[in-house]
Structures are given as C-alpha cells and as structure tokens.
Amino acid sequence: MRKNAFLLYVFAISLPLFLISGCATLPSKTSANTSKEYVWPKPPAPARIKWITQWSNRYDFGKPSEVLEFLVGKERIERIQRPNGVVADDVGNVYAVDSAMRQVFVFDVEKKKLVLLGAGIFAGPVGIALDSKRGVLYVSDSRLNKVFGISKETGDVVMTLGGPAEFKNPSGMVFDGQRDHLYVADTQNHVIKIFDRDGQPVSTIGRRGQEDGEFNFPSYLALDKNGRLYVVDSFNFRVQIFDSDGKFLKKFGKLGDTSGTFSRPTGIGVDSDGNIYVIDSAFNNVQIFNYNGELLLWVGNTGTKTGEFYLPSGMYIDNSDRIYVSDTFNGRIQVFQYLKAQE
C-alpha cells in the first residue's frame, strides 16, 4: 500500500519528472487569441480574474525579421517543455523550473530575452523560490534529494541543502523575505522544514497523519502578506494553514469530484485580499476560496486555448496580484491578474 501510494503521489505532483519522453500526448500547438478579453466570471458579473499573457519560448519577446532569417537561417528555438515550480520578481521577470529540460527558464521582461540557468546541475527539479534581496533562486531536486541555491544572474551554485539523509523527495518551496526563512515541503518525510538564509535548519512542522498539523505527502507551499503558511496536503486532499511560528490555524478541503473539493491538488497561491488559489491538475482548473475555505470562483478547463489547462502544476502570486500558472503539459506559463472589487 505504501509503495502504491507513493507511485500515485509521483503521478499527482511530480508528473513532469517522468514523462520527459512523451508518455502522454502533448498537444502539438498551444494557442493564445489575444484579440479578445478573457475574464472570469463571465459578464454581466463583475470581472475578478483577467488573462494577461503567456510565456513559452524566446519568440514571446518578438520574432526576427524574415530578411535576417533568410541571411543567417532559422535559429534554434528554446521552448519550455514541462514547467513545474514558478516564481516571479517584483518587475514581472518569470523563473520557471522545467522538469524535462532540467533547467530554470528565465523570461526576462526587463531585457526582453530568454535565459536558461542550471545546465548540468539538476536531475529532477520540481520547486522554486526566490530570495530577492540576495538574488538567490532555490530549486528543489526530488531525484537528488537536495535543494540548490543558485545565482539568478549567473546560475552558479551558491548553496546546497540536504541530501538523502535530510530530504526524501523535496518538492514545493516558498521564501519568506521578511523573516529570511526558506520553507521546504519534504514530501516523503511528510513534514515542512524551515531553514534560515544561510541554509541552517530552524524548525520542522508536522509529521505523517491525518490530524490537524499532520501531513500525507505535502507538496506545494505559499505565504500570505501576514506570513501565514499555506500547505497543500496532497493525500489528505486539503489545505492546511499555519502561522509564522508553525502553529496550526485551520484547514479546508476534502476528496471529491465536484467544485470546491479536491482530486489532485497541486499549486497554491494567496492574493492581497487573502483569497486562496488552488490548482487541481485532475480538474485542469484553478479554484479560488476565501479564508474560511468557501469556494468563490473557478478558472479554466481542459484544453490548449487561452485560459485552458492541461495538467497544470505550480503557481505563484506576486505583490501586484499577478497570477502565474505552470500549464505543464501545454508547455507554457499563463499569467492572469486579480481585479480588486470596486469600493
């Protein structure tokens, strides 16, 4: 039973690691029709979520001229294949772990270019977190059972945490810039581990179980503006919330196949109003809840078009309420905007 449970976990939250060679059918083309506005809910209800853009390859910053292509030939296009963990900085540069390419794709909107980091370092990257003050990207590697800290400018390794004695299948992460703490979901050990900015252990949250504060394969993590920690407790099919000291506050969610329940919960994020966004890769959507766990809205369905998803995984919400979703098997990052209610 334990082996079967772990295999199901791998399928649920680490799918990109093992389907590199195409065990599932990847749509040959994703589309983004930018000639119309995409919002949720649909009119006449007031819009709360708006689709902004998507990132998948170098051409998202513009294609070379036909004359240049004729003279030098068509260039090789780096395209993200299996995005998983995703994070963004304050100016909207996007950093996404590609579990198939085993690198970090950086969509640098400031310099309008695509950069790849980490070649030759990772074996099975899953999660990513950013220390903006020091310019360090943390990448969890579930095959090497390590967390690497790399420079977001050069890709050089500046720190290494863990190993088989410390981690078993680390996955989701989040960095608290106010407290200089890194939270790591140590998935197969069924705990959340907290480290300081120098990689030294601070404390551990939880153990395996079903009670409050216990976990069954925790995966993706998020923080709100008050420093509360949100944990996707994958095989308990719920979200658990803790204060900044790791004290259990509340939980919501249960197994189901209807709106407001979870089947394969993965990425999570929290906007500035405290609304909680949870990806369900089985539903191919993002469900949005209030702090009491009441369903407010859901966004997306199965497909390749704008605002549709195919086995999405990671998520991040920045300080401007931009919502970044790793649309994993569509090979893209979709970006949305939370629209505050008019007062």
Side-chain angles (χ1 to χ4, degrees):
M1 285 294 293
R2 181 172 295 179
K3 180 179 180 181
N4 291 337
F6 178 65
L7 291 175
L8 180 59
Y9 158 74
V10 167
F11 180 77
I13 69 169
S14 296
L15 200 59
L17 297 178
F18 306 101
L19 298 179
I20 294 171
S21 59
C23 298
T25 301
L26 177 66
S28 59
K29 183 179 180 181
T30 58
S31 60
N33 183 356
T34 58
S35 62
K36 61 179 288 188
E37 188 172 71
Y38 292 86
V39 297
W40 293 263
K42 301 302 181 184
R48 290 292 176 263
I49 305 294
K50 179 180 178 179
W51 184 89
I52 300 298
T53 190
Q54 68 176 27
W55 302 104
S56 63
N57 60 73
R58 187 191 305 174
Y59 278 7
D60 290 328
F61 296 104
K63 296 183 179 180
S65 69
E66 293 182 0
V67 173
L68 182 61
E69 283 192 340
F70 175 77
L71 292 174
V72 302
K74 290 188 176 181
E75 62 179 340
R76 177 176 175 269
I77 306 303
E78 291 100 348
R79 173 181 290 275
I80 198 166
Q81 294 185 19
R82 296 290 189 271
N84 199 321
V86 61
V87 71
D89 61 24
D90 291 338
V91 297
N93 297 318
V94 180
Y95 307 83
V97 170
D98 189 321
S99 296
M101 298 285 285
R102 302 176 186 177
Q103 295 186 71
V104 176
F105 275 64
V106 183
F107 296 96
D108 190 328
V109 298
E110 289 182 293
K111 299 177 182 177
K112 295 189 181 301
K113 67 178 183 179
L114 172 64
V115 178
L116 274 64
L117 301 177
I121 297 174
F122 312 120
V126 176
I128 190 167
L130 173 62
D131 177 353
S132 296
K133 289 183 289 188
R134 293 193 300 160
V136 176
L137 287 167
Y138 295 95
V139 179
S140 62
D141 194 310
S142 65
R143 286 181 176 169
L144 298 177
N145 291 308
K146 294 181 179 180
V147 172
F148 294 94
I150 65 172
S151 165
K152 76 182 187 72
E153 301 297 335
T154 66
D156 295 333
V157 176
V158 298
M159 183 186 307
T160 303
L161 283 66
E166 177 75 46
F167 295 124
K168 289 184 180 179
N169 199 219
S171 55
M173 299 187 299
V174 66
F175 188 82
D176 185 341
Q178 293 183 331
R179 298 166 184 81
D180 285 334
H181 283 171
L182 175 69
Y183 298 83
V184 181
D186 191 1
T187 301
Q188 204 177 349
N189 279 326
H190 310 285
V191 296
I192 308 301
K193 292 183 176 177
I194 308 173
F195 300 85
D196 66 18
R197 59 181 291 174
D198 297 317
Q200 297 302 310
V202 174
S203 61
T204 299
I205 303 173
R207 61 182 181 181
R208 190 168 196 181
Q210 299 179 342
E211 301 301 319
D212 295 349
E214 298 178 342
F215 304 110
N216 195 15
F217 293 95
S219 55
Y220 293 84
L221 310 177
L223 291 169
D224 67 15
K225 62 184 180 182
N226 297 311
R228 289 182 293 233
L229 176 68
Y230 296 72
V231 180
V232 176
D233 188 5
S234 296
F235 271 15
N236 283 327
F237 305 97
R238 64 186 180 183
V239 171
Q240 294 199 66
I241 307 173
F242 301 83
D243 68 14
S244 58
D245 295 321
K247 179 183 177 182
F248 172 83
L249 296 175
K250 66 189 314 176
K251 64 187 177 185
F252 68 88
K254 63 179 181 179
L255 176 63
D257 58 4
T258 59
S259 296
T261 62
F262 298 127
S263 177
R264 206 181 302 156
T266 53
I268 189 168
V270 186
D271 68 29
S272 61
D273 284 337
N275 301 311
I276 305 161
Y277 300 63
V278 184
I279 293 174
D280 197 300
S281 61
F283 299 155
N284 286 306
N285 69 9
V286 179
Q287 299 188 90
I288 306 173
F289 302 85
N290 63 18
Y291 186 71
N292 294 319
E294 299 166 330
L295 181 67
L296 304 175
L297 177 67
W298 56 268
V299 173
N301 49 45
T302 305
T304 65
K305 298 178 181 178
T306 300
E308 297 179 338
F309 305 105
Y310 187 20
L311 293 176
S313 55
M315 163 184 269
Y316 181 76
I317 301 178
D318 69 14
N319 292 332
S320 298
D321 284 329
R322 287 184 295 259
I323 305 155
Y324 304 84
V325 178
S326 287
D327 189 5
T328 303
F329 267 68
N330 278 329
R332 63 185 177 182
I333 305 296
Q334 294 201 64
V335 187
F336 303 80
Q337 179 70 52
Y338 168 58
L339 306 173
K340 289 179 173 287
Q342 298 296 320
E343 297 181 359

